[in-house]
Amino acid sequence: MALARLQMVQQQLKRRDVENPAVLEVMGRVPRHLFVPVRFQGDAYDDTPLPIGHGQTISQPYIVASMTEKLLPSKDKHILEIGTGSGYQTAVLAELFGRIDTVEIVPELFVSARSILSELGYTNINFHNGDGLKIPVEPKEFDGIIVTAAPERFPESLPARLAVGGRLIIPVGYSHQNLMLVVKESQDKITRRDLYPVRFVTLQTRD
Ligand code: SAH
C-alpha cells in the first residue's frame, strides 16, 4: 500500500500541478485505503473517486490534494469542512492545519468517519452531524472553508463565515460544475475565481 501511495503522489499529483511539499508529504502518508469499503481497498490509490455508501463518494486523490493546497496550509489556521464523507480529506486537513471542524449530514458517515479518525489518533478535529450550511459551529469565522459537495448556486451566506484573509474552496453547479476559490480580501471585498471543471455529489439541504 505504501508503494502504491508514493506512486499516486508521483503520477497523479506531481505530474499535474500540486506543488506544496507539505501537501505532497501528507498525501504520501495518510492511509487512504482505510477510508474506503473493504472491497475497494485494492483501488484506493487509483486516480478516481470511489463509492463510500449512501450514494456518496470519496473524492479523487488529486482533488483532495489540490483543494487542500488552495487553502494555503498552516498550523495556525482553523478550517471548516462541509461534507466529512469518508473522513479522508479531514485527515489530510488535520495533518496540515491547526484545528478542523467538520460537518456531515448523513448520520452513518458522521459516525464512521469519527471512529476511524479517532482510531488513527487525531485530536484536533471537532465532528458535527447536520447541514453544514445551517448548523451553528464555533468560531463564527474560520481561516478557511472547504465544501466537498456541490450546491447548484454559490451559497451567499458562506463568506460571512470567513475571517479577513480567509479562503473558501467550493464546487458550484448542477450539470456542469466548476471549482471556485473565494478570497475574503477585506471585510467588504470578496474575490471569486473559477479554477477548473469538477464532478462532485450534490450538496443536500435540511431544515
Ligand atoms: N471529502 C469527502 C467527500 C465526501 S462526498 C471524502 O473524500 O470522503 C460529500 C459529502 O458531503 C457526503 O458525505 C455528503 O453526505 C455530505 N454532504 C452533502 N450535503 C451536506 C451538507 N449540507 N452538510 C454536510 N454534509 C453534506
Side-chain angles (χ1 to χ4, degrees), residues 56-59 83 85-86 89 103-106 109 131-132 148 204:
Q56 307 304 323
T57 55
I58 177 172
S59 306
S86 67
Q89 171 89 66
V103 190
E104 172 54 52
I105 205 165
V106 175
L109 293 174
D131 181 340
T148 67
Q204 301 170 40

Side-chain angles (χ1 to χ4, degrees), residues 32 35 50 52-60 64 81-90 103-106 109 128 130-134 146-150 200-206:
R32 190 174 194 261
F35 293 86
L50 291 167
I52 54 170
H54 311 278
Q56 307 304 323
T57 55
I58 177 172
S59 306
Q60 180 189 5
V64 172
E81 178 187 42
I82 298 178
T84 318
S86 67
Y88 173 65
Q89 171 89 66
T90 322
V103 190
E104 172 54 52
I105 205 165
V106 175
L109 293 174
H128 309 270
D131 181 340
L133 289 184
K134 296 198 176 130
I146 176 169
V147 185
T148 67
F200 276 82
V201 297
T202 305
L203 187 84
Q204 301 170 40
T205 50
R206 202 151 290 172

Side-chain angles (χ1 to χ4, degrees), residues 9-160:
V9 171
Q10 281 297 338
Q11 294 165 9
Q12 301 168 36
L13 311 184
K14 286 191 183 168
R15 274 194 205 159
R16 291 194 179 111
D17 57 354
V18 181
E19 288 173 353
N20 183 308
V23 173
L24 292 167
E25 188 274 325
V26 164
M27 293 295 294
R29 190 153 49 78
V30 174
R32 190 174 194 261
H33 62 280
L34 300 183
F35 293 86
V36 303
V38 174
R39 67 184 183 286
F40 293 121
Q41 283 195 345
D43 309 319
Y45 298 100
D46 290 358
D47 194 11
T48 179
L50 291 167
I52 54 170
H54 311 278
Q56 307 304 323
T57 55
I58 177 172
S59 306
Q60 180 189 5
Y62 168 71
I63 294 291
V64 172
S66 174
M67 289 176 83
T68 303
E69 187 175 59
K70 303 288 187 237
L71 292 176
L72 305 182
S74 162
K75 292 279 186 193
D76 60 4
K77 290 186 178 177
H78 191 158
I79 302 295
L80 172 66
E81 178 187 42
I82 298 178
T84 318
S86 67
Y88 173 65
Q89 171 89 66
T90 322
V92 171
L93 295 170
E95 294 276 352
L96 291 158
F97 295 89
R99 179 149 286 280
I100 316 298
D101 273 80
T102 185
V103 190
E104 172 54 52
I105 205 165
V106 175
E108 293 87 347
L109 293 174
F110 156 76
V111 168
S112 57
R114 185 177 55 177
S115 101
I116 168 95
L117 289 162
S118 317
E119 264 172 53
L120 289 174
Y122 292 101
T123 54
N124 58 342
I125 306 170
N126 302 324
F127 296 89
H128 309 270
N129 180 212
D131 181 340
L133 289 184
K134 296 198 176 130
I135 73 162
V137 177
E138 289 293 332
K140 294 230 159 19
E141 293 182 348
F142 288 86
D143 304 303
I145 302 177
I146 176 169
V147 185
T148 67
E152 228 171 290
R153 277 178 296 279
F154 180 73
E156 300 293 342
S157 61
L158 273 181

